[in-house]
Amino acid sequence: MKIVDILKQDKVTLSFEVFPPKTTGGYESVAKATQEIAALRPDFMSVTYGAGGGTSEHTVDIASALKERYDVTVLAHLSCVSSTRAHVAAMLDKFRQRGIENVLALRGDIPEGGPLAADYQYAAELVREIKAQGDFCIGGACYPEGHVDSPNKTEDILHLKEKVDAGCEFLTTQMFFDNNIFYNFLYRIREKGVTVPVIAGIMPITNVKQVARTLKMSGTYLPERFKAIVDRFGDDPSAMRQAGVIYATEQIIDLIANGVNHIHIYTMNKPEIAAGIQASLSEILK
C-alpha cells in the first residue's frame, strides 16, 4: 500500500523507524528487533539507509522481510550524496523487484573523509530521478528547526518546496522536543504553499548518551523541562527510560489533540520503547 493513501485516511497513524545493522554480523539481532516491532502492527515502518549506502542490501532485505512476513507497509530510505545515478537506478530496481513501493528520498549526511559522488547535490534531484523511474510513492525529510546546512529557515523552506514540487507526496520531520517549534514550522510551510501531509517525527530519549548524540547530530533545541528530566533521572537507567517514554508520549498526545494525526517514532530498534508508547496511546489510537 502507498503511504500517501494511508495518510489520506481519517484516522491517527502511528509508524516506527528501524535501522539496518552496520555489519553483517549484527544482522540477526537487528532482524529480531525489527520483527518484534512489526508484530505491534504499526501503520507502516521505515527502514533507514546506511551512510554512503554501505548497508543498502540490508535495507532491502529487512524492508522486504517485514512486508512479506508481517504484511507491514514499508518505507525504504534512499540517500544520494555518496551515490551515482547507476547505483540509485540499481537500488530502485531492487525495490521494485521486492514489491517495495514507498521510498524516502534523502540527500544523506556528508561522510567525514568518505567518498562523494558528483551526480547529486540535493534531495530534490533524487526525487526527480525516482519520479522518472517508476510508480513509487516518494517521501522527503523536513526540519522544523532548519537544516544544519541551511543559512536560515527561509531558505530551508524554499528548498523544501522545491522537493515537494519535484514529486514528494509527504514529509517526515526530524526529531523535535518542543511542540511549539513544530506548530510554528507547520504554519510557515503552509504559508509558502507546502500542502502535503507532514508526519511528526518523535525520538524517545531514554539514556544520557542519546542526549549528547542528538545535540551533536542535529543541534535540536532541548526545553528546560526536558533538561530537568535528564538532570534528575540521567544516572538511573530504568528511571530515565521510563521518563523518556512518558515525555515522548506526552508530546504525541499534545500533537494529536492539536490536529496532528500522523506520528513517526524513531525507535532505535528497541521493541520495548515502541510497545510502551503504543500501549500508552491505546485508547487514543482506537
Side-chain angles (χ1 to χ4, degrees):
M1 188 173 187
K2 290 188 175 179
I3 287 172
V4 71
D5 293 327
I6 295 174
L7 302 178
K8 287 177 181 176
Q9 298 174 13
D10 185 22
K11 68 167 190 173
V12 174
T13 66
L14 185 67
S15 54
F16 298 130
E17 179 180 285
V18 296
F19 56 82
K22 293 182 179 180
T23 64
T24 302
Y27 186 86
E28 289 303 320
S29 62
V30 168
K32 182 177 183 295
T34 60
Q35 288 164 16
E36 289 180 20
I37 293 171
L40 298 172
R41 309 302 301 166
D43 289 282
F44 69 87
M45 289 177 65
S46 72
V47 185
T48 68
Y49 197 72
T55 58
S56 58
E57 290 298 331
H58 292 330
T59 298
V60 176
D61 290 341
I62 289 174
S64 59
L66 294 174
K67 179 179 180 296
E68 292 164 10
R69 297 179 194 172
Y70 293 90
D71 194 30
V72 172
T73 298
V74 291
L75 169 66
H77 292 212
L78 180 60
S79 64
C80 65
V81 71
S82 300
S83 299
T84 63
R85 280 193 163 79
H87 177 75
V88 166
M91 289 303 302
L92 292 174
D93 191 50
K94 289 176 183 178
F95 291 163
R96 196 180 294 109
Q97 290 175 17
R98 305 291 279 272
I100 298 168
E101 56 185 351
N102 301 292
V103 181
L104 189 72
L106 304 162
R107 184 199 71 170
D109 297 328
I110 297 176
E112 293 183 15
L116 278 177
D119 290 358
Y120 303 96
Q121 281 188 292
Y122 304 107
E125 296 168 330
L126 178 60
V127 172
R128 294 188 191 99
E129 190 86 2
I130 298 170
K131 197 76 175 174
Q133 293 201 33
D135 185 26
F136 292 101
C137 176
I138 307 170
C142 59
Y143 304 85
E145 296 172 72
H147 193 284
V148 291
D149 292 336
S150 285
N152 55 66
K153 292 180 180 179
T154 300
E155 185 168 322
D156 190 49
I157 291 175
L158 291 177
H159 288 306
L160 180 62
K161 189 170 190 311
E162 184 182 359
K163 279 197 290 191
V164 171
D165 291 344
C168 268
E169 298 175 74
F170 65 93
L171 299 165
T172 304
T173 75
Q174 186 184 52
M175 69 193 83
F176 58 90
F177 300 97
D178 183 338
N179 286 1
N180 289 325
I181 290 173
F182 173 77
Y183 298 139
N184 181 264
F185 169 75
L186 203 58
Y187 174 81
R188 287 186 291 112
I189 66 171
R190 297 309 190 210
E191 195 176 43
K192 294 298 183 182
V194 177
T195 60
V196 297
V198 178
I199 305 170
I202 299 297
M203 168 76 86
I205 297 292
T206 57
N207 63 68
V208 174
K209 289 182 180 178
Q210 273 184 286
V211 177
R213 195 181 309 124
T214 298
L215 290 175
K216 181 180 178 182
M217 180 174 64
S218 62
T220 303
Y221 168 71
L222 295 179
E224 291 303 318
R225 175 171 170 260
F226 185 81
K227 291 178 183 177
I229 290 172
V230 175
D231 289 343
R232 176 67 177 84
F233 304 114
D235 293 332
D236 184 335
S238 296
M240 185 63 219
R241 182 165 54 250
Q242 186 177 57
V245 168
I246 291 171
Y247 187 93
T249 303
E250 289 181 347
Q251 266 194 279
I252 294 166
I253 292 170
D254 179 76
L255 289 165
I256 295 171
N258 283 281
V260 179
N261 283 343
H262 308 303
I263 311 295
H264 193 59
I265 308 297
Y266 299 112
T267 70
M268 302 303 291
N269 289 6
K270 295 178 179 177
E272 68 277 11
I273 300 301
I277 290 176
Q278 188 184 61
S280 298
L281 298 170
S282 59
E283 294 301 311
I284 292 171
L285 294 173
K286 282 200 308 187

PDB file of all heavy atoms in Angstrom, residues 266-281:
ATOM      1  N   TYR A 266      11.035   7.282  16.181  1.00  0.00           N
ATOM      2  CA  TYR A 266      12.400   6.810  15.950  1.00  0.00           C
ATOM      3  C   TYR A 266      12.725   5.827  17.078  1.00  0.00           C
ATOM      4  O   TYR A 266      13.098   6.234  18.177  1.00  0.00           O
ATOM      5  CB  TYR A 266      13.370   7.984  15.914  1.00  0.00           C
ATOM      6  CG  TYR A 266      13.065   8.965  14.798  1.00  0.00           C
ATOM      7  CD1 TYR A 266      12.614  10.253  15.072  1.00  0.00           C
ATOM      8  CD2 TYR A 266      13.200   8.579  13.472  1.00  0.00           C
ATOM      9  CE1 TYR A 266      12.319  11.137  14.039  1.00  0.00           C
ATOM     10  CE2 TYR A 266      12.907   9.451  12.435  1.00  0.00           C
ATOM     11  CZ  TYR A 266      12.467  10.730  12.722  1.00  0.00           C
ATOM     12  OH  TYR A 266      12.167  11.597  11.689  1.00  0.00           O
ATOM     13  N   THR A 267      12.568   4.541  16.800  1.00  0.00           N
ATOM     14  CA  THR A 267      12.601   3.526  17.862  1.00  0.00           C
ATOM     15  C   THR A 267      13.993   3.140  18.321  1.00  0.00           C
ATOM     16  O   THR A 267      14.138   2.509  19.367  1.00  0.00           O
ATOM     17  CB  THR A 267      11.906   2.230  17.402  1.00  0.00           C
ATOM     18  OG1 THR A 267      12.718   1.591  16.382  1.00  0.00           O
ATOM     19  CG2 THR A 267      10.518   2.504  16.850  1.00  0.00           C
ATOM     20  N   MET A 268      15.018   3.439  17.526  1.00  0.00           N
ATOM     21  CA  MET A 268      16.390   2.987  17.815  1.00  0.00           C
ATOM     22  C   MET A 268      16.444   1.463  17.955  1.00  0.00           C
ATOM     23  O   MET A 268      17.241   0.919  18.721  1.00  0.00           O
ATOM     24  CB  MET A 268      16.933   3.662  19.077  1.00  0.00           C
ATOM     25  CG  MET A 268      16.962   5.186  19.016  1.00  0.00           C
ATOM     26  SD  MET A 268      17.925   5.822  17.618  1.00  0.00           S
ATOM     27  CE  MET A 268      19.582   5.362  18.126  1.00  0.00           C
ATOM     28  N   ASN A 269      15.550   0.770  17.224  1.00  0.00           N
ATOM     29  CA  ASN A 269      15.498  -0.699  17.223  1.00  0.00           C
ATOM     30  C   ASN A 269      15.178  -1.288  18.600  1.00  0.00           C
ATOM     31  O   ASN A 269      15.610  -2.398  18.925  1.00  0.00           O
ATOM     32  CB  ASN A 269      16.795  -1.313  16.690  1.00  0.00           C
ATOM     33  CG  ASN A 269      16.962  -1.121  15.191  1.00  0.00           C
ATOM     34  OD1 ASN A 269      16.171  -0.438  14.553  1.00  0.00           O
ATOM     35  ND2 ASN A 269      17.994  -1.719  14.631  1.00  0.00           N
ATOM     36  N   LYS A 270      14.407  -0.552  19.396  1.00  0.00           N
ATOM     37  CA  LYS A 270      14.064  -1.017  20.740  1.00  0.00           C
ATOM     38  C   LYS A 270      12.575  -1.350  20.801  1.00  0.00           C
ATOM     39  O   LYS A 270      11.733  -0.456  20.956  1.00  0.00           O
ATOM     40  CB  LYS A 270      14.422   0.048  21.776  1.00  0.00           C
ATOM     41  CG  LYS A 270      15.923   0.316  21.862  1.00  0.00           C
ATOM     42  CD  LYS A 270      16.223   1.413  22.867  1.00  0.00           C
ATOM     43  CE  LYS A 270      17.728   1.653  22.962  1.00  0.00           C
ATOM     44  NZ  LYS A 270      18.059   2.772  23.892  1.00  0.00           N
ATOM     45  N   PRO A 271      12.229  -2.633  20.688  1.00  0.00           N
ATOM     46  CA  PRO A 271      10.811  -3.012  20.709  1.00  0.00           C
ATOM     47  C   PRO A 271      10.087  -2.563  21.955  1.00  0.00           C
ATOM     48  O   PRO A 271       8.901  -2.203  21.897  1.00  0.00           O
ATOM     49  CB  PRO A 271      10.860  -4.545  20.619  1.00  0.00           C
ATOM     50  CG  PRO A 271      12.182  -4.856  20.002  1.00  0.00           C
ATOM     51  CD  PRO A 271      13.118  -3.795  20.486  1.00  0.00           C
ATOM     52  N   GLU A 272      10.765  -2.578  23.110  1.00  0.00           N
ATOM     53  CA  GLU A 272      10.103  -2.213  24.361  1.00  0.00           C
ATOM     54  C   GLU A 272       9.702  -0.734  24.368  1.00  0.00           C
ATOM     55  O   GLU A 272       8.682  -0.353  24.981  1.00  0.00           O
ATOM     56  CB  GLU A 272      10.993  -2.533  25.565  1.00  0.00           C
ATOM     57  CG  GLU A 272      12.243  -1.690  25.713  1.00  0.00           C
ATOM     58  CD  GLU A 272      13.431  -2.147  24.868  1.00  0.00           C
ATOM     59  OE1 GLU A 272      13.248  -3.008  23.990  1.00  0.00           O
ATOM     60  OE2 GLU A 272      14.549  -1.626  25.099  1.00  0.00           O
ATOM     61  N   ILE A 273      10.491   0.099  23.687  1.00  0.00           N
ATOM     62  CA  ILE A 273      10.156   1.528  23.607  1.00  0.00           C
ATOM     63  C   ILE A 273       8.931   1.721  22.724  1.00  0.00           C
ATOM     64  O   ILE A 273       7.983   2.439  23.080  1.00  0.00           O
ATOM     65  CB  ILE A 273      11.349   2.328  23.054  1.00  0.00           C
ATOM     66  CG1 ILE A 273      12.581   2.167  23.962  1.00  0.00           C
ATOM     67  CG2 ILE A 273      10.969   3.791  22.907  1.00  0.00           C
ATOM     68  CD1 ILE A 273      12.398   2.605  25.376  1.00  0.00           C
ATOM     69  N   ALA A 274       8.941   1.084  21.563  1.00  0.00           N
ATOM     70  CA  ALA A 274       7.797   1.173  20.654  1.00  0.00           C
ATOM     71  C   ALA A 274       6.534   0.655  21.321  1.00  0.00           C
ATOM     72  O   ALA A 274       5.460   1.277  21.239  1.00  0.00           O
ATOM     73  CB  ALA A 274       8.090   0.386  19.375  1.00  0.00           C
ATOM     74  N   ALA A 275       6.651  -0.486  22.003  1.00  0.00           N
ATOM     75  CA  ALA A 275       5.491  -1.086  22.662  1.00  0.00           C
ATOM     76  C   ALA A 275       4.976  -0.209  23.799  1.00  0.00           C
ATOM     77  O   ALA A 275       3.758  -0.080  24.000  1.00  0.00           O
ATOM     78  CB  ALA A 275       5.848  -2.471  23.193  1.00  0.00           C
ATOM     79  N   GLY A 276       5.891   0.396  24.553  1.00  0.00           N
ATOM     80  CA  GLY A 276       5.489   1.243  25.670  1.00  0.00           C
ATOM     81  C   GLY A 276       4.691   2.452  25.213  1.00  0.00           C
ATOM     82  O   GLY A 276       3.669   2.803  25.813  1.00  0.00           O
ATOM     83  N   ILE A 277       5.143   3.092  24.148  1.00  0.00           N
ATOM     84  CA  ILE A 277       4.434   4.255  23.623  1.00  0.00           C
ATOM     85  C   ILE A 277       3.090   3.839  23.052  1.00  0.00           C
ATOM     86  O   ILE A 277       2.055   4.476  23.302  1.00  0.00           O
ATOM     87  CB  ILE A 277       5.290   4.976  22.571  1.00  0.00           C
ATOM     88  CG1 ILE A 277       6.470   5.660  23.254  1.00  0.00           C
ATOM     89  CG2 ILE A 277       4.458   5.991  21.785  1.00  0.00           C
ATOM     90  CD1 ILE A 277       7.440   6.326  22.310  1.00  0.00           C
ATOM     91  N   GLN A 278       3.082   2.752  22.300  1.00  0.00           N
ATOM     92  CA  GLN A 278       1.829   2.293  21.701  1.00  0.00           C
ATOM     93  C   GLN A 278       0.798   1.951  22.785  1.00  0.00           C
ATOM     94  O   GLN A 278      -0.378   2.301  22.665  1.00  0.00           O
ATOM     95  CB  GLN A 278       2.079   1.084  20.808  1.00  0.00           C
ATOM     96  CG  GLN A 278       0.855   0.661  20.003  1.00  0.00           C
ATOM     97  CD  GLN A 278       1.114  -0.599  19.209  1.00  0.00           C
ATOM     98  OE1 GLN A 278       1.399  -1.645  19.790  1.00  0.00           O
ATOM     99  NE2 GLN A 278       1.024  -0.517  17.894  1.00  0.00           N
ATOM    100  N   ALA A 279       1.249   1.284  23.837  1.00  0.00           N
ATOM    101  CA  ALA A 279       0.321   0.914  24.914  1.00  0.00           C
ATOM    102  C   ALA A 279      -0.246   2.150  25.617  1.00  0.00           C
ATOM    103  O   ALA A 279      -1.430   2.180  25.980  1.00  0.00           O
ATOM    104  CB  ALA A 279       1.049   0.030  25.934  1.00  0.00           C
ATOM    105  N   SER A 280       0.583   3.174  25.775  1.00  0.00           N
ATOM    106  CA  SER A 280       0.122   4.397  26.429  1.00  0.00           C
ATOM    107  C   SER A 280      -0.897   5.160  25.600  1.00  0.00           C
ATOM    108  O   SER A 280      -1.631   6.008  26.121  1.00  0.00           O
ATOM    109  CB  SER A 280       1.311   5.308  26.726  1.00  0.00           C
ATOM    110  OG  SER A 280       2.216   4.685  27.622  1.00  0.00           O
ATOM    111  N   LEU A 281      -0.942   4.861  24.294  1.00  0.00           N
ATOM    112  CA  LEU A 281      -1.854   5.556  23.382  1.00  0.00           C
ATOM    113  C   LEU A 281      -3.018   4.668  22.946  1.00  0.00           C
ATOM    114  O   LEU A 281      -3.753   5.030  22.033  1.00  0.00           O
ATOM    115  CB  LEU A 281      -1.079   6.021  22.138  1.00  0.00           C
ATOM    116  CG  LEU A 281       0.057   7.011  22.353  1.00  0.00           C
ATOM    117  CD1 LEU A 281       0.868   7.156  21.063  1.00  0.00           C
ATOM    118  CD2 LEU A 281      -0.465   8.369  22.794  1.00  0.00           C
TER     119      LEU A 281
END
